Amino acid sequence: MSSNKSSNVSEKTEQISGKQEFSIGEILKKRGVSRRDFLKFCSAMTAAMSLPASFAPTVAQALDEVKRPTLVWLNFQDCTGDSEALLRAANPTVGELILDILSVDYHETIMAAAGHQADEALESTITKYKGKYICVVEGSISMKDGGVYGCTSGKTHLEIARRVCGSAFATIAIGTCAAYGGIAAAIPNPTGAVGVRDAVPGATIINLPGCPCNADNLTATVVHYLVFGKIPALDSHGRPLFAYGKRIHDNCERRPHFDAGQYVEIWGDEGHRKGFCLYKMGCKGPATFHNCPTQRYNEKTSWPVAAGHPCAGCSEPQFWDAMGPMYKRLPNVPGFGIEHTADKIGLGMAVGVGAAFAVHGAISALRKDKDPAEKTKED
Amino acid sequence: MAKIVVDPITRIEGHLRIEAEVTGGKIIDAWSSATMFRGIEKILKGRDPRDAWYWTQRFCGVCTTVHSIASVRAVENALKIKIPPNAELIRNIIIGTQNVQDHVIHFYHLHALDWVDITSGLKADPTATSKLAASISEWPNNSATYFKAVQDKVKAFVASGRLGPFANAYWGHPAYKLPPEANLMATAHYLEALEWQKDVIKIHAILGSKNPHPQTFLVGGMAIPIDPDSQNALNADKLIEIKRLLKKAQDFVEKVYIPDLLAVASFYKDWAAIGGGVGNYMCYGDFPDASGNMWFPSGAILNKDLSKVLKVDQGKIAEYVDHSWFENSAGTGKGLHPFDGETEVRYTGPTPPYKNLDTNAKYSFVKSPRYDEKAMEVGPLARVLVAYASGHKETKAVVDLVLSKLGVGAAALFSTLGRTAARGIDCLLNAQQTPKFLDELINNISKGDYRIHANEKWDPSSWPAEASGYGMHEAPRGGLGHWIKIKDQKILNYQAVVPSTWNASPRDAKGQRGPYEAALVGTPIADPNKPLEILRTIHSFDPCLACAVHVLDANGNEMVKVKVS
């Protein structure tokens, strides 16, 4: 790569880091991480970002030069599931993220300081690194009754979000609650819960939905940003295409069974034991854009469909209302190809699901066998 | 008289605020307030009862299995479904793993920094640290080289000038008592535990697709199929991996957590006389076998009297809202059983931004559950005390060992230190018992029993028009109950009374303090500006506030509306 490119990267990354600090590469060396392990990590990140392997040296070079960017993590109307997901991060691990790669200056679940000392840590960070820090928001934000349903340190989450996200370089809305309001925003939405995008209009926001978000998608987003100095390409729901650009159904390891008309009919039946398609048990994979089948969870150990349970559609906006009930099968799934993106069909699909279970579309042209819709009595 | 406020209480799940009055270097009164509310039970109304486990799982992403368990048990109780033995065993393995992993994270990552001064460890002699570690455990990572490397890493981190999550803490506070070597050893294990927890929890991923929020529970059983002849089901390959991970879990608890706990506790024995709390303890029991008998016994203890264990009757539970931001159509001073709970959120606190809450009025989004009108503590301490007082063999052996190692009597358990020690005891018991559930499962499979789900009542058309039931579970943080009413195949009413609701509850109609509040009274405060001691006692309960704050039954919502109009 050209030297021009590398100086460009370091210039961009300088924007988000403090001055006179060790670079990530230097810190890793001090921590005894071998060059070989570092390059392995860079290759993994390259893959997670859906980049060609030839980009690995670019990733390595950028990380060599970048200083630890400042990150503040805000917990609002949440269950802490996304923070727990962060604890399961493997590549890099949470220890490496906290000690080597980022400077996590505020995160209520892990930070040592409490009370006004915690407040001071947040204040000094957002003042000192104004416009340069990354903000991560976990949980929805209550808008009803002046936001009294979510307060920290006597201040509403709405006020905190507007101040902290408003001065951030970018905000990552982690999990479906922060992205779209999530469970608290499900009908009848008792607290007027919304996602960050609706609470802080105008802020630069990357949505990483999922319930919880896959930690690999968070680290890949951060690394994407460090490497390219800009946020990744997003779909109309604000989700990075590298992680949410394809439907679960199109990457699913059980797709051949769908196409062959082989379905699980009863929990524990032969089809269930042999890994047949879970469509009839309510799988929302055909309407869900997420990289679960390829990225999987807990160091690629498994993901819901692989473990025998249908996809719940958790990365789609308003999935709690639009996708339910969980075990009700989707209306006729047309056989659109993998070239379609969420922007073209995802929204229409979700709305259709929410509106009724009587959508009659074209029957799969790809499926050569029987139509499961006609075989299911729950219609 | 100074009123101190700690908000946010960090290193917990959720949003908790403590206000305390300090006189003469001691807390004389305290108030516990939860400041976040979502209303998930209200959202549940009218939905499919078979989905409830997935919704209620989102009460909490830390104790990420517990509401699923309580929920499927409640629906199964309502519909009179008996699940296959393998499903019960898989649930027991998931429960045991959750308890072990959660307790270790609590000790090292949420609680340790109340006792361990990381900065002091920079002054430690690695050789002396090595000797200390070898003297308390056979854990292999104990060389001087190892501790020197950890120390160098921390030094390099500090030298970077960016302390991240360790900035602005109470380092150097006079209440820290550990020598530098013990601090360095604990710091090393803080980092090791961070790696360990993400490995052992893969048990949940194998059995239930992922963690947090495993997606595998079903009303009637579990969704992970069993078939030794399939690569898409629980087979020998996956079972042996679970066995390996359970061994790894047990090793760490036996050789790192428990020795560290005893070492740290020996420097803080004064905390065996602080933080006693309400003195009433309740445990629902858990780990049912195929006949429904619980491995961990249920019971209640009143006024710290270990000579009597009372039978728990869920009918005696009632929730009060006299100091909570809810209304209750039954009227002031009246509690309601969870089946009949009818509460409406009504925030009457100060307009934010505020400095203080009006603690004479309503001051929390947590309700006040009471058992037979008494405030009860739930959690590992309650579990261990009930089992100990019931003569539970395994528990008694471990408790007696811990007490003798620390050179204290059973009365020391009624304290902040006792609560922290009980969590370690509970963790060890879970770590040693869970592999036995796996052995039983393997034994069943080898006999050809692959059943994981009772199908008869899966189709809602097979249900009665109306049904009601409850499900109990001993979660890491204590006794958890879900109550459900089903009508015409839909949820009519859903209530959860969770461990942190019991423990974090504000005052009730009689003015009785909740367990956090009671435990803080009498706690010494060396520096009101740095109330480290408050964190010690509050963290000893392992608060989980997203769970604790809940409503409600939308039935009541309608009744309130009717009354108003």
Side-chain angles (χ1 to χ4, degrees):
Chain A
M1 94 213 43
S2 70
S3 59
N4 190 19
K5 165 91 184 169
S6 91
S7 71
N8 193 23
V9 166
S10 69
E11 196 178 295
K12 290 264 175 63
T13 50
E14 186 65 27
Q15 292 173 20
I16 52 163
S17 59
K19 48 182 187 288
Q20 292 182 341
E21 287 160 22
F22 301 114
S23 75
I24 291 173
E26 284 163 345
I27 289 171
L28 288 170
K29 209 183 293 172
K30 278 178 188 295
R31 291 252 286 132
V33 175
S34 72
R35 187 73 193 165
R36 188 186 160 82
D37 283 346
F38 175 63
L39 292 175
K40 252 165 62 187
F41 158 64
C42 294
S43 301
M45 277 297 105
T46 307
M49 289 187 290
S50 305
L51 296 171
S54 59
F55 271 73
T58 314
V59 173
Q61 185 175 353
L63 289 182
D64 255 350
E65 293 166 3
V66 75
K67 309 291 190 286
R68 286 160 66 205
T70 303
L71 186 140
V72 298
W73 185 301
L74 303 174
N75 292 79
F76 294 144
Q77 279 179 307
D78 67 343
C79 74
T80 315
D82 298 291
S83 294
E84 283 285 331
L86 175 72
L87 286 184
R88 314 288 184 267
N91 219 340
T93 65
V94 65
E96 289 162 341
L97 278 168
I98 290 171
L99 298 178
D100 305 328
I101 294 175
L102 301 167
S103 186
V104 181
D105 289 6
Y106 189 86
H107 191 316
E108 287 164 25
T109 317
I110 55 171
M111 68 194 298
H116 67 87
Q117 281 88 358
D119 273 352
E120 285 160 20
L122 180 62
E123 285 307 316
S124 77
T125 298
I126 65 171
T127 308
K128 191 171 171 193
Y129 299 99
K130 190 171 169 41
K132 294 176 181 170
Y133 60 88
I134 303 168
C135 178
V136 177
V137 173
E138 176 174 5
S140 53
I141 297 167
S142 163
M143 303 282 276
K144 196 176 160 192
D145 299 334
V148 295
Y149 303 106
C151 284
T152 299
S153 188
K155 296 183 277 285
T156 64
H157 293 161
L158 182 60
E159 185 203 329
I160 296 169
R162 287 192 170 153
R163 212 158 42 85
V164 180
C165 303
S167 300
F169 183 91
T171 296
I172 296 172
I174 191 163
T176 303
C177 293
Y180 311 120
I183 189 168
I187 295 167
N189 193 352
T191 62
V194 299
V196 187
R197 194 148 70 163
D198 292 330
V200 194
T204 306
I205 292 161
I206 304 161
N207 286 329
L208 296 180
C211 198
C213 173
N214 192 330
D216 292 339
N217 290 336
L218 173 66
T219 48
T221 301
V222 171
V223 172
H224 187 289
Y225 174 48
L226 298 179
V227 170
F228 299 114
K230 59 182 184 186
I231 64 174
L234 309 175
D235 69 6
S236 67
H237 299 308
R239 306 175 292 195
L241 289 172
F242 75 76
Y244 303 87
K246 286 186 178 171
R247 286 185 310 154
I248 283 184
H249 191 53
D250 294 328
N251 276 330
C252 183
E253 62 214 37
R254 298 190 179 194
R255 177 60 182 265
H257 293 295
F258 175 85
D259 291 341
Q262 295 173 317
Y263 303 98
V264 177
E265 306 279 348
I266 296 170
W267 305 114
D269 70 5
E270 194 191 358
H272 196 214
R273 299 203 304 273
K274 299 281 183 251
F276 286 3
C277 176
L278 287 156
Y279 172 71
K280 283 190 179 180
M281 306 311 276
C283 187
K284 306 301 187 289
T288 305
F289 287 76
H290 209 171
N291 58 355
C292 304
T294 48
Q295 203 60 33
R296 300 160 78 101
Y297 293 83
N298 302 91
E299 298 177 60
K300 299 191 190 289
T301 302
S302 190
W303 68 290
V305 168
H309 192 283
C311 161
C314 72
S315 60
E316 293 301 315
Q318 279 69 55
F319 87 96
W320 289 101
D321 291 315
M323 295 284 195
M326 192 154 57
Y327 303 103
K328 189 98 172 173
R329 62 165 185 72
L330 283 169
N332 301 343
V333 173
F336 36 65
I338 55 170
E339 73 278 7
H340 287 78
T341 66
D343 291 347
K344 287 184 190 155
I345 54 158
L347 187 63
M349 191 80 194
V351 168
V353 175
F357 282 88
V359 179
H360 294 288
I363 301 303
S364 170
L366 296 178
R367 275 202 323 271
K368 61 182 184 188
D369 209 327
K370 56 202 167 188
D371 169 34
E374 289 167 358
K375 297 262 177 192
T376 309
K377 58 180 173 177
E378 272 186 48
D379 197 15
Chain B
M1 189 187 304
K3 193 163 188 182
I4 51 179
V5 176
V6 189
D7 179 8
I9 296 277
T10 52
R11 285 181 279 125
I12 63 163
E13 195 299 318
H15 302 278
L16 175 68
R17 173 189 181 97
I18 295 292
E19 296 196 7
E21 271 178 18
V22 178
T23 300
K26 268 194 176 161
I27 292 175
I28 58 159
D29 209 347
W31 296 268
S32 157
S33 169
T35 57
M36 190 276 275
F37 168 78
R38 289 180 291 173
I40 294 173
E41 285 149 299
K42 186 171 187 172
I43 296 167
L44 277 168
K45 195 210 172 191
R47 301 190 191 262
D48 190 330
R50 297 173 303 173
D51 291 7
W53 72 261
Y54 187 85
W55 290 75
T56 59
Q57 185 174 45
R58 272 70 188 169
F59 284 161
C60 184
V62 175
C63 39
T64 177
T65 56
V66 308
H67 294 286
S68 308
I69 297 274
S71 182
V72 290
R73 284 179 178 172
V75 180
E76 286 156 4
N77 177 262
L79 299 173
K80 300 185 172 53
I81 296 170
K82 187 167 164 45
I83 67 170
N86 289 344
E88 200 74 88
L89 288 165
I90 292 170
R91 286 182 189 175
N92 283 351
I93 296 165
I94 288 176
I95 293 168
T97 304
Q98 173 76 46
N99 281 341
V100 171
Q101 190 248 14
D102 203 55
H103 285 347
V104 171
I105 290 182
H106 179 265
F107 182 74
Y108 286 102
H109 307 123
L110 305 182
H111 201 17
L113 302 183
D114 302 336
W115 313 100
V116 173
D117 184 340
I118 292 182
T119 59
S120 148
L122 296 176
K123 293 178 290 201
D125 170 9
T127 308
T129 309
S130 168
K131 278 186 188 145
L132 169 69
S135 74
I136 63 169
S137 170
E138 57 185 69
W139 187 245
N141 285 345
N142 66 1
S143 70
T145 319
Y146 170 72
F147 288 114
K148 174 82 167 47
V150 171
Q151 195 178 40
D152 287 347
K153 279 178 192 175
V154 177
K155 273 183 186 161
F157 179 75
V158 172
S160 77
R162 302 289 303 281
L163 291 181
F166 307 108
N168 233 24
Y170 304 138
W171 312 131
H173 192 287
Y176 283 119
K177 297 281 167 57
L178 297 184
E181 285 71 25
N183 282 314
L184 177 58
M185 181 181 74
T187 303
H189 294 162
Y190 176 106
L191 296 171
E192 277 190 55
L194 217 43
E195 289 290 312
W196 170 93
Q197 57 87 23
K198 78 176 171 57
D199 285 339
V200 299
I201 210 61
K202 284 179 196 160
I203 293 169
H204 283 182
I206 296 166
L207 290 172
S209 80
K210 63 191 173 97
N211 174 289
H213 293 334
Q215 195 158 320
T216 185
F217 301 93
L218 294 172
V219 166
M222 298 298 287
I224 178 81
I226 295 172
D227 188 344
D229 300 316
S230 169
Q231 57 180 299
N232 299 101
L234 204 49
N235 52 25
D237 179 41
K238 295 187 174 95
L239 290 165
I240 213 71
E241 176 64 1
I242 295 170
K243 203 175 182 72
R244 185 186 73 81
L245 291 166
L246 285 173
K247 177 76 167 59
K248 179 171 183 163
Q250 189 178 343
D251 272 357
F252 191 84
V253 173
E254 288 176 347
K255 294 174 185 168
V256 184
Y257 178 16
I258 297 299
D260 280 358
L261 175 67
L262 292 171
V264 170
S266 67
F267 287 94
Y268 290 105
K269 284 190 199 168
D270 47 332
W271 283 83
I274 299 168
V278 295
N280 303 322
Y281 305 90
M282 183 171 72
C283 168
Y284 294 137
D286 215 318
F287 295 121
D289 63 17
S291 336
N293 298 315
M294 303 285 184
W295 182 75
F296 230 101
S298 77
I301 289 168
L302 298 178
N303 303 316
K304 303 181 184 176
D305 180 1
L306 295 179
S307 70
K308 263 188 249 141
V309 179
L310 308 174
K311 199 169 163 359
V312 176
D313 170 10
Q314 63 88 27
K316 290 183 177 173
I317 295 169
E319 290 196 291
Y320 296 80
V321 294
D322 297 85
H323 286 279
S324 315
W325 289 313
F326 300 103
E327 283 186 358
N328 181 341
S329 75
T332 311
K334 295 265 170 44
L336 289 166
H337 183 270
F339 268 143
D340 306 313
E342 42 175 72
T343 332
E344 179 70 1
V345 67
R346 196 80 79 225
Y347 181 79
T348 52
T351 304
Y354 54 79
K355 293 271 180 230
N356 281 103
L357 296 167
D358 179 1
T359 47
N360 290 319
K362 296 182 176 230
Y363 61 90
S364 181
F365 281 122
V366 167
K367 296 198 261 181
S368 301
R370 296 292 184 259
Y371 182 80
D372 210 6
E373 301 190 8
K374 291 178 184 67
M376 308 296 285
E377 175 175 340
V378 297
L381 176 57
R383 205 143 58 217
V384 165
L385 286 174
V386 166
Y388 186 72
S390 307
H392 187 251
K393 190 170 51 122
E394 294 90 336
T395 304
K396 204 160 178 321
V398 180
V399 170
D400 286 338
L401 181 78
V402 167
L403 293 177
S404 76
K405 288 238 179 194
L406 289 175
V408 294
L413 289 167
F414 307 118
S415 68
T416 295
L417 190 68
R419 217 169 272 119
T420 298
R423 187 168 295 103
I425 292 167
D426 188 50
C427 188
L428 180 64
L429 290 166
N430 275 275
Q432 293 176 338
Q433 182 63 23
T434 307
K436 295 175 188 167
F437 297 129
L438 180 67
D439 291 343
E440 276 187 66
L441 177 65
I442 291 170
N443 190 35
N444 284 353
I445 296 171
S446 67
K447 287 180 188 156
D449 182 1
Y450 302 166
R451 291 172 302 147
I452 42 102
H453 189 256
N455 296 128
E456 320 73 63
K457 303 250 178 81
W458 179 250
D459 186 343
S461 67
S462 67
W463 302 349
E466 291 189 39
S468 60
Y470 54 85
M472 305 303 193
H473 171 41
E474 278 296 316
R477 288 157 189 81
L480 165 66
H482 282 206
W483 285 260
I484 188 170
K485 279 187 178 174
I486 300 168
K487 188 164 189 275
D488 299 333
Q489 307 172 11
K490 300 270 192 290
I491 296 171
L492 178 71
N493 180 11
Y494 205 100
Q495 277 284 349
V497 182
V498 320
S500 295
T501 314
W502 289 99
N503 291 339
S505 68
R507 282 152 171 75
D508 58 25
K510 293 179 179 171
Q512 296 182 105
R513 293 184 187 93
Y516 291 178
E517 298 178 335
L520 284 172
V521 174
T523 297
I525 299 288
D527 177 358
N529 201 35
K530 293 180 178 172
L532 174 63
E533 299 89 342
I534 289 182
L535 293 185
R536 285 183 177 169
T537 291
I538 292 298
H539 284 156
S540 74
F541 285 94
D542 191 4
C544 193
L545 269 292
C547 284
V549 179
H550 66 281
V551 307
L552 59 94
D553 131 279
N555 236 2
N557 190 13
E558 285 163 8
M559 289 172 72
V560 171
K561 276 182 194 154
V562 169
K563 256 182 94 176
V564 169
S565 63

